[in-house]
Amino acid sequence: MAGRQPLVDSLRAHLSARERPDHQRLAVVVGPPGAGKTSLILRAAHGLRDRFPDGQIFVDLHPPASAPLTPDRLVRRVLRSLGGTPAPDGPEEAGARLRDMLSRRRVLVVLDNADTEAQVRPLLVDDVRSAVLVAARRELSALPGQFAHHVGALGRADAHQMLEDLVGTARTRAERSAATAVVEFCARLPLALHIAGLWLSTRPHRSLRDLAHRLADEEQRIRFLRVGDLSLQDSVAAYHRALPAHIAAPLHRLVDLRGDFGTAEVMARVTPSREHAVDLLDELLYRQVTHVSGTGDDGGATRYRLHDAVRLYTAHCVPGPPGLHAPAA
């Protein structure tokens, strides 16, 4: 796992630690769509089987084309996985039974696509026998005692290594410039690189230059990055659907910003209120729509940048919200 093994090792160390009785064994991985959160938590969980002999339970909290699981539905699903008996009728009783079972067993619960803290809270118990590993679409800052890690795009060397591992050393080194173009068109996202690598490995007669040429069309790029049931567009769509209207609408006004931006640009495109602009920037960052790209020339104001896959999806795959127009000058 190019560039991610140190994080996998840290997650395993935290979740398996038992030296402190008050140690909260909760780990949360947060990142934008396509950052490889699911594969990362699955890899970490695989190496912890001997630490949790009573089982590992995987739950997708927001499956494609489905409503997110409510806390009560999650509790009942985990209860069934642990005992196979019908869950109690009342949610409070079901939650109490689940916490009791988790406190007496050594179980690792792995949650993917978490949207809210409320989805995770029912699994947190004071006892440390069991543990919870979460891949989240946004910050879950209200959860107590969490061990949080942020993931994003890979570094350039790791991104090249990932493509090389999938396609082969000889093939990528024979077309170095095309390989570099593919890596950058994929924004160094693990999911996009994985799809690109699979596309090439199943087409040994096609060159990396062929793929780079296809990905150069920005309007079609996110649609093209699809192999089988793997799709960068679907991954971003799941994020976009979860955005509330007061975030989705301003996002459409910012998609033409390809580089860094800050408060002044948000005030020019979205709202004349500086306070509202600052709050919106915080919310976009919190929801993994943007990332901090640096500070201004004076070393003061924070600068932001839209995650490239989010920008492409918003610009080319969905229409703007009804009534969207530029703010009056």
Side-chain angles (χ1 to χ4, degrees):
M1 180 172 281
R4 300 295 201 219
Q5 193 58 47
L7 175 53
V8 170
D9 293 341
S10 295
L11 291 170
R12 289 174 179 170
H14 176 79
L15 293 171
S16 61
R18 298 177 188 163
E19 68 278 5
R20 294 193 349 243
D22 61 342
H23 180 74
Q24 177 68 61
R25 287 203 280 178
L26 165 66
V28 180
V29 177
V30 186
K37 299 182 297 297
T38 302
S39 60
L40 193 155
I41 62 172
L42 290 177
R43 185 180 181 93
H46 182 75
L48 290 169
R49 288 186 174 183
D50 61 330
R51 299 290 185 144
F52 298 96
D54 295 321
Q56 292 189 1
I57 301 170
F58 177 86
V59 182
D60 187 345
L61 293 172
H62 200 163
S66 300
L69 263 66
T70 63
D72 184 50
R73 287 180 60 200
L74 170 63
V75 165
R76 295 173 188 276
R77 178 173 295 187
V78 177
L79 271 174
R80 288 195 300 270
S81 298
L82 288 173
T85 57
D89 292 334
E92 291 185 3
E93 186 180 351
R97 179 180 291 188
L98 175 59
R99 287 189 292 273
D100 177 64
M101 295 180 74
L102 291 175
S103 69
R104 291 185 288 106
R105 302 185 187 186
R106 291 165 59 190
V107 176
L108 175 63
V109 183
V110 182
L111 304 178
D112 195 19
N113 293 320
D115 291 316
T116 68
E117 289 92 342
Q119 292 174 309
V120 182
R121 285 190 190 279
L123 302 175
L124 304 182
V125 295
D126 293 334
D127 195 280
V128 297
R129 289 182 177 86
S130 294
V132 183
L133 175 58
V134 183
R137 292 172 171 171
R138 66 172 181 86
E139 302 280 356
L140 302 178
S141 51
L143 291 178
Q146 64 179 289
F147 181 70
H149 272 284
H150 292 75
V151 295
L154 294 170
R156 284 185 171 83
D158 290 327
H160 276 272
Q161 186 62 55
M162 182 174 181
L163 185 65
E164 186 173 301
D165 290 343
L166 289 162
V167 179
T169 302
R171 198 172 172 193
T172 53
R173 294 185 180 178
E175 295 187 83
R176 290 181 184 273
S177 62
T180 297
V182 169
V183 165
E184 295 306 319
F185 285 142
C186 289
R188 292 181 272 122
L189 287 172
L191 176 59
L193 287 165
H194 187 62
I195 293 170
L198 291 176
W199 190 91
L200 287 165
S201 64
T202 57
R203 294 168 176 82
H205 58 290
R206 300 292 291 271
S207 68
L208 273 72
R209 189 174 301 279
D210 289 339
L211 178 58
H213 177 73
R214 298 291 294 272
L215 296 178
D217 183 348
E218 183 178 278
E219 188 169 346
Q220 297 299 320
R221 185 183 305 159
I222 196 168
R223 296 187 178 96
F224 184 77
L225 285 168
R226 177 188 299 271
V227 171
D229 63 348
L230 297 177
S231 166
L232 182 61
Q233 179 176 338
D234 290 349
S235 179
V236 184
Y239 269 67
H240 194 276
R241 284 194 300 269
L243 293 176
H246 74 278
I247 299 299
L251 175 59
H252 280 267
R253 296 193 179 112
L254 299 174
V255 292
D256 63 322
L257 296 173
R258 295 168 181 266
D260 299 345
F261 62 91
T263 306
E265 289 83 358
V266 174
M267 291 175 65
R269 287 168 171 79
V270 180
T271 173
S273 167
R274 175 172 292 274
E275 182 178 348
H276 183 202
V278 170
D279 288 346
L280 177 61
L281 285 167
D282 283 347
E283 190 75 6
L284 293 172
L285 184 65
Y286 178 74
R287 292 182 178 274
Q288 305 302 304
V289 173
T290 64
H291 61 97
V292 172
S293 55
T295 57
D297 294 337
D298 59 357
T302 302
R303 303 292 288 173
Y304 303 83
R305 183 171 294 199
L306 291 170
H307 285 293
D308 195 57
V310 174
R311 181 182 65 82
L312 292 177
Y313 177 81
T314 307
H316 303 299
C317 299
V318 292
L324 179 64
H325 55 81

